[in-house]
Amino acid sequence: MKKQLLTLAILAAATGAMAQSNDTLAKIKSSGSITQGVRESSGALAYTLGNGVYTGFHYEVCANIIKDLRRQLGLSSLEIKYQPVTSANRIPLVKNGTVDLECGSTTNDRSRQKEVAFANTLYVEEVRIAVKANSPIKSIADLGGKTVATTTGTTSVQLIRQNKRASGLEFKEVTGKDHADSFLLLESGRADAFVMDGQILAGNISKSKAPKDFKILPDVLSVEPIAIMIRKDDPAFKKAVDDSIAAQVKSGEIAKLYDKWFMQPIPPTNTPVGLPASAATKAAWASLNDKPKEDYPQQ
């Protein structure tokens, strides 16, 4: 019996320690600081202007969340520390407590939900196809016999091959070393189409020499909820973040920020991305949720 009581005491102590380590609100209040994960280059969602200056749609949403957290905790001031993260280290840095609020371009999916949690979604990415404006390609079904560009390390062309509307189609695949290189394949005529995330396509078109020479086809190959990432098993912190997001949606702040970052000229080139909010993104605002990618209907 004594051994059982000792075991229970150890488990209780371990559980208490775990709860304390996952109490992000307590950590922020006691330290007077919060660490925001930021990205160097995630399109209009989050990017750097250099010299440690970060900006973008998700960056500004998080800035508003942090203001609300400061008010909720009754702090007269709150130091914000910025931690640049990459696709490779963002989840470990959230899990080990280095980053409290990751404000980049992370897809919420079931696999990641086993390691971290996500705030309610405010941006739903769509994988689309860009072509020349005078191209005979009107839909995915017209890609037969054409050359399709994508970026090394991405799975965009695989999405075409998996799409039922592309069944039986044969096309040639060419890859660019990065998104700018892939767009150059289309721009120079070495590719007939470029397949990638919608905001990346729109961003490259907006920065091209002749944006009117390109168009994005209406076909959507895949939809992915992109969300702010936080530590798992911290319901009080998730509620505080989601409450701020709900208030920003209700006040119209989110729609205003979306227009600022996706429709108006943005730094450093002062060119607009030119990507209106999709039906899926508007639906996410209308019915806030943290559903993973697998719960979204795929095309």
Side-chain angles (χ1 to χ4, degrees):
M1 178 62 75
K2 286 184 178 179
K3 186 176 180 180
Q4 288 178 332
L5 290 174
L6 179 60
T7 302
L8 288 173
I10 292 173
L11 285 174
T15 302
M18 186 177 293
Q20 179 63 31
S21 67
N22 280 348
D23 192 341
T24 307
L25 291 175
K27 175 189 173 189
I28 294 169
K29 187 166 187 175
S30 63
S31 67
S33 67
I34 183 170
T35 301
Q36 179 179 341
V38 289
R39 297 297 293 264
E40 301 282 346
S41 178
S42 286
L45 285 172
Y47 63 102
T48 181
L49 294 172
N51 298 319
V53 177
Y54 296 90
T55 194
F57 175 70
H58 260 170
Y59 172 88
E60 288 212 44
V61 171
C62 282
N64 290 335
I65 290 172
I66 291 171
K67 289 177 186 173
D68 288 340
L69 291 173
R70 181 181 63 75
R71 281 193 287 268
Q72 178 179 335
L73 294 172
L75 297 172
S76 58
S77 63
L78 180 59
E79 180 188 6
I80 305 173
K81 300 176 180 177
Y82 299 106
Q83 172 65 54
V85 300
T86 66
S87 297
N89 67 18
R90 57 189 163 180
I91 290 178
L93 289 178
V94 169
K95 288 178 66 177
N96 70 15
T98 301
V99 168
D100 299 310
L101 197 63
E102 195 262 348
C103 310
S105 57
T106 303
T107 298
N108 177 354
D109 64 27
R110 283 182 184 156
S111 174
R112 289 171 176 160
Q113 283 190 358
K114 294 176 182 176
E115 301 187 83
V116 293
F118 291 89
N120 286 334
T121 300
L122 292 173
Y123 180 79
V124 182
E125 185 62 274
E126 295 179 335
V127 177
R128 308 276 290 272
I129 303 169
V131 298
K132 292 279 187 68
N134 59 2
S135 171
I137 301 172
K138 306 298 182 188
S139 73
I140 187 173
D142 297 325
L143 291 177
K146 305 297 184 184
T147 300
V148 178
T150 190
T151 303
T152 300
T154 66
T155 59
S156 299
V157 167
Q158 292 177 28
L159 291 173
I160 294 180
R161 298 193 187 283
Q162 295 166 1
N163 194 290
K164 59 185 178 184
R165 287 169 291 176
S167 178
L169 289 182
E170 294 292 336
F171 55 85
K172 181 182 177 183
E173 179 182 345
V174 292
T175 57
K177 65 178 186 296
D178 54 30
H179 299 319
D181 195 39
S182 299
F183 182 75
L184 184 60
L185 292 171
L186 172 65
E187 191 173 37
S188 63
R190 287 175 286 167
D192 301 297
F194 176 23
V195 183
M196 190 47 60
D197 294 351
Q199 69 136 345
I200 292 173
L201 295 177
N204 276 277
I205 289 172
S206 70
K207 290 184 286 188
S208 68
K209 295 176 182 175
K212 292 183 180 179
D213 287 352
F214 303 92
K215 63 182 178 183
I216 297 176
L217 301 182
D219 290 348
V220 177
L221 302 181
S222 176
V223 294
E224 300 188 0
I226 311 295
I228 293 163
M229 185 166 56
I230 56 179
R231 267 181 292 286
K232 190 175 172 64
D233 300 325
D234 191 347
F237 187 60
K238 175 169 168 54
K239 182 178 186 306
V241 172
D242 283 342
D243 284 350
S244 176
I245 285 175
Q248 292 182 61
V249 170
K250 186 176 180 181
S251 70
E253 176 70 5
I254 292 299
K256 193 161 57 176
L257 287 178
Y258 189 96
D259 180 73
K260 173 182 177 180
W261 290 103
F262 290 94
M263 299 303 293
Q264 303 301 319
I266 59 175
T269 59
N270 290 320
T271 53
V273 173
L275 187 69
S278 67
T281 291
K282 289 181 178 177
W285 299 348
S287 181
L288 291 170
N289 67 83
D290 61 357
K291 293 188 300 185
K293 171 186 173 182
E294 290 80 2
D295 287 355
Y296 280 70
Q298 298 301 313
Q299 306 297 310

